[in-house]
Amino acid sequence: MPTPPISFEFFPPRNEEQALILRSTWQKLARLAPRYLTVTFGAGGSAQDATVKTVEELLERADAPVAAHISCMAPGVEMLDGLLDHYQQTGVNRLVVLRGDPPETLEFEPPFRYANELVAHVRERYGDHFHIEVGCYPEIHPESPDLASEIYWFGEKVRAGADGAITQYFFEADTYFRFVDLCREAGIDIPITPGIMPITNYTQLARFSARCGAIIPPWLEERLVGFGEDRAAIREYGLDVITDLCEQLLEGGAPGLHFYTLNRANATMKIWQRLRS
């Protein structure tokens, strides 16, 4: 199989130990010639500083395009514009624009309620400087009442100026293809890149999935639970499942793969190696 277009997502480290782990991770993954690397958004204070620092390090040292995440969950539009001005000046030309998840205690009023409003703001202020990716949810965002609503709001982000989209992760290829077909019927024609979550830890995966609305199919959950505390078996089985998923997606016409790395390289690298063989 030809080498597929790939991209990798990282989150900013919270301490020096995490920074060392992330540095080791991106150094390995950057060698795979990704389309771009992404860094998730820290809304303010030290979290924002960590995001900016990570973006700058990748720009300077990774020899790969870098996409910065921004979200509506920010203290004000001035903060967002200052951040975007900085990114523009330092050479960032890709963004991942999201609404973001409100924290349990929200200490400020976000300047935008929905991601389409933030996309429109970026387009109005910066024109075509930034290539904008947005999120979409083949299995429906936890706050969406139904799939029709999900596709409508996805379309609003496209109409506001999005260039492409990255899906929430899922575990069955048909989920992606059904969603893409419905989007095309609704007039959404931008590339929709499937988000891929390597399986390495069932407890962690179940927690993430419950929070973001991703469905772990019964056949997969049963097998993962059956391995108990045998983490090596979970990793090996997960490698088989996700490699097969990626192969189905690429053979079916997906425009690439976006890996949620969780700041670890090994599982993603093994999947990539299998796809190339």
Side-chain angles (χ1 to χ4, degrees), residues 1 11 25 28 32 52-54 62 71 81 95 101 128 130 137-138 154 156 160 185 190 192 199 219 235 258:
M1 177 181 292
F11 60 83
T25 295
K28 293 172 183 175
L32 308 185
V52 173
K53 183 177 179 180
T54 304
S71 94
D81 286 346
L95 299 173
D101 295 323
D128 293 330
F130 293 110
Y137 293 77
F154 177 27
E156 286 292 277
E185 290 173 9
I190 62 173
I192 300 174
I199 299 173
W219 60 266
R235 288 193 296 269
H258 181 78

Side-chain angles (χ1 to χ4, degrees), residues 190-209:
I190 62 173
I192 300 174
T193 301
I196 304 298
M197 177 67 82
I199 299 173
T200 59
N201 181 312
Y202 172 68
T203 302
Q204 183 185 57
L205 181 68
R207 185 172 67 249
F208 285 168
S209 300

Side-chain angles (χ1 to χ4, degrees), residues 77-268:
V77 69
E78 296 82 4
M79 173 268 189
L80 284 171
D81 286 346
L83 187 60
L84 290 165
D85 288 346
H86 177 74
Y87 285 149
Q88 183 183 42
Q89 292 159 10
T90 53
V92 173
N93 56 19
R94 277 183 173 268
L95 299 173
V96 179
V97 177
L98 306 169
R99 188 201 70 171
D101 295 323
E104 291 183 7
T105 303
L106 191 61
E107 299 178 353
F108 53 81
E109 182 67 28
F112 303 102
R113 291 184 63 196
Y114 301 110
N116 64 293
E117 297 172 355
L118 182 51
V119 171
H121 175 76
V122 173
R123 280 285 175 248
E124 181 179 0
R125 183 176 171 89
Y126 298 94
D128 293 330
H129 173 78
F130 293 110
H131 177 104
I132 296 177
E133 301 279 344
V134 294
C136 58
Y137 293 77
E139 293 172 324
I140 309 178
H141 188 279
E143 297 177 20
S144 292
D146 51 42
L147 188 55
S149 176
E150 183 66 44
I151 291 174
Y152 171 79
W153 285 108
F154 177 27
E156 286 292 277
K157 289 183 274 191
V158 176
R159 288 181 281 274
D163 298 296
I166 302 166
T167 76
Q168 180 58 271
Y169 67 85
F170 52 88
F171 295 108
E172 295 182 313
D174 285 348
T175 298
Y176 169 81
F177 292 120
R178 283 195 299 268
F179 180 73
V180 171
D181 286 345
L182 290 171
C183 289
R184 301 306 182 224
E185 290 173 9
I188 298 171
D189 60 0
I190 62 173
I192 300 174
T193 301
I196 304 298
M197 177 67 82
I199 299 173
T200 59
N201 181 312
Y202 172 68
T203 302
Q204 183 185 57
L205 181 68
R207 185 172 67 249
F208 285 168
S209 300
R211 191 170 62 199
C212 72
I215 296 171
I216 303 177
W219 60 266
L220 177 58
E221 183 174 29
E222 182 179 351
R223 287 297 304 275
L224 292 174
V225 170
F227 288 120
E229 297 301 316
D230 189 344
R231 294 191 176 185
I234 290 173
R235 288 193 296 269
E236 190 61 30
Y237 178 67
L239 185 60
D240 290 339
V241 168
I242 299 303
T243 301
D244 181 62
L245 172 64
C246 291
E247 288 174 342
Q248 291 182 58
L249 292 168
L250 294 170
E251 289 169 0
L257 303 169
H258 181 78
F259 286 89
Y260 299 108
T261 71
L262 302 183
N263 289 11
R264 295 294 191 275
N266 288 348
T268 297

Side-chain angles (χ1 to χ4, degrees), residues 55-83:
V55 168
E56 290 175 343
E57 178 176 345
L58 292 175
L59 279 171
E60 181 180 349
R61 302 175 60 184
D63 193 28
V66 179
H69 287 222
I70 62 168
S71 94
C72 300
M73 296 301 127
V77 69
E78 296 82 4
M79 173 268 189
L80 284 171
D81 286 346
L83 187 60

